[in-house]
Amino acid sequence: MAAPSTTARRRPARPARTQAVRRRVAASEQFTGWAFATPGAVIIVLFGAVPIVWSAIMSFQQDNLLNPSTPYVGLRNYRAMVHDPIVTQAIQHTLIYTVLFVPGTMIVGLFLAVAMNRKLRFITLYRTAAYATMAISTISEALVFIWLFDPTYGIANYSLSLVGLPAQQFLNSPSQALYVIVAMTIWGWTGFAVVIYLAALQGVPPALVEAAAIDGAGSWSIFRRITLPLLSPASLFLAVWLSINALQLFDEVYLSTQGGPLNATTVLVYYLYKQAFQNFNFGYASAIAYFLFLVIIVITAVQFRVGRRFTYYRS
């Protein structure tokens, strides 16, 4: 009999080599990393990227999610925003809220962080209490502030009566409701600002503070010329993060005022919600959402551009 050819002898080796390659790939760190990351990536694509693209398409359509017919209307939804007086009001309320909420939260958080950045008895308890505001749900927060500022039996009006001041309507007043929501959210976000600033304060080199004190600098001078510049990265982060959250204000308005009274607390996201889930005008709501997205990008870019001039990074 003739001996088998060389090619015939090598054929059985191919499956073996393939299996060896598969085993090496399966045992590699890259494969393990992708195996862990893939479920999260799939969730992000399905519930993040797909809705973003879908809403972009809807913003150019007349869509109520009930009628299968979704005619293309071009820029009509965006043009309608220009002539919508409630959109103008919502933009004004959103900007006023952002201008008050962001610096207010940063100032209160910095003050408490500086107060807690020292050796005191029960300091852990104080720090836990400061951060507890972040652990409380928005529903509980809104209920507490509705009770505090109730015009009839709230503690705020009771305190005013003790000093002879007239009772206020607070959340029922078009001129006061938005500022009550500002106070509510500053209280709710202060714990987050305290944690960020406290971590940054503990990174300030004690040698710089001691050297400045030896040179005769006072406490305020040390804080203004040494501590604050070293806190600038944390301040920039908080300014950007809080601004993004402020521009997307919704929960507190929905739970406390429903955009009232007389649209005095209607902000962009709440008006977007009403258009989408009450009026079923999803095309118009998508256009508002993308307008807000553009505003957030512009404000964030400006903050980073300006922040570079005032931010000091230690090597």
Side-chain angles (χ1 to χ4, degrees):
M1 293 180 63
S5 64
T6 306
T7 304
R9 293 174 183 172
R10 290 180 179 177
R11 282 178 183 173
R14 288 184 179 180
R17 286 200 301 270
T18 302
Q19 292 177 1
V21 171
R22 290 176 179 175
R23 283 196 296 269
R24 286 198 299 270
V25 171
S28 66
E29 294 183 358
Q30 292 184 358
F31 179 83
T32 304
W34 279 109
F36 280 106
T38 298
V42 171
I43 292 174
I44 291 173
V45 170
L46 290 179
F47 299 101
V50 172
I52 289 173
V53 175
W54 188 19
S55 61
I57 297 173
M58 290 171 60
S59 68
F60 298 100
Q61 297 175 337
Q62 183 180 351
D63 194 346
N64 59 9
L65 293 187
L66 301 176
N67 191 340
S69 176
T70 56
Y72 176 79
V73 295
L75 297 176
R76 192 176 74 181
N77 289 324
Y78 292 93
R79 287 195 296 266
M81 293 173 52
V82 179
H83 304 287
D84 190 340
I86 301 181
V87 168
T88 303
Q89 290 181 346
I91 293 173
Q92 293 174 351
H93 298 156
T94 303
L95 293 178
I96 291 172
Y97 170 80
T98 303
V99 169
L100 295 176
F101 164 74
V102 174
T105 304
M106 293 176 64
I107 291 172
V108 175
L110 178 60
F111 175 80
L112 293 177
V114 171
M116 295 180 187
N117 189 38
R118 58 189 65 190
K119 295 181 180 180
L120 298 172
R121 292 188 63 185
F122 309 115
I123 188 61
T124 303
L125 178 63
Y126 300 148
R127 292 174 179 174
T128 303
Y131 188 71
T133 58
M134 284 296 296
I136 297 175
S137 68
T138 307
I139 296 176
S140 302
E141 174 188 332
L143 291 175
V144 168
F145 272 80
I146 290 173
W147 174 68
L148 288 174
F149 290 96
D150 185 90
T152 305
Y153 53 84
I155 292 179
N157 271 334
Y158 175 74
S159 302
L160 292 177
S161 67
L162 295 179
V163 295
L165 295 177
Q168 304 296 320
Q169 291 300 309
F170 295 116
L171 289 171
N172 294 333
S173 170
S175 61
Q176 298 175 358
L178 184 62
Y179 302 103
V180 174
I181 292 178
V182 170
M184 181 195 310
T185 50
I186 286 177
W187 181 86
W189 278 90
T190 293
F192 179 76
V194 168
V195 170
I196 298 299
Y197 272 131
L198 191 58
L201 283 169
Q202 293 179 353
V204 175
L208 293 178
V209 178
E210 294 173 0
I214 293 173
D215 289 340
S219 300
W220 171 247
S221 180
I222 292 174
F223 179 76
R224 184 168 62 90
R225 297 182 178 277
I226 296 178
T227 306
L228 272 183
L230 293 177
L231 294 180
S232 55
S235 297
L236 178 61
F237 166 76
L238 281 173
V240 173
W241 186 262
L242 293 176
S243 296
I244 293 174
N245 282 275
L247 294 169
Q248 299 179 87
L249 174 69
F250 173 77
D251 294 351
E252 290 80 0
V253 172
Y254 177 79
L255 294 169
S256 59
T257 63
Q258 297 282 309
L262 301 176
N263 290 326
T265 58
T266 297
V267 291
L268 273 175
V269 175
Y270 183 76
Y271 187 56
L272 182 160
Y273 161 80
K274 288 184 63 177
Q275 287 294 325
F277 298 103
Q278 293 183 7
N279 300 336
F280 296 99
N281 194 352
F282 284 89
Y284 189 43
S286 298
I288 297 174
Y290 267 84
F291 168 75
L292 179 60
F293 175 67
L294 179 62
V295 171
I296 291 175
I297 289 179
V298 171
I299 292 179
T300 302
V302 171
Q303 286 177 320
F304 275 115
R305 184 69 177 265
V306 175
R308 291 176 183 175
R309 304 177 183 179
F310 305 99
T311 304
Y312 172 78
Y313 294 98
R314 292 187 299 115
S315 59

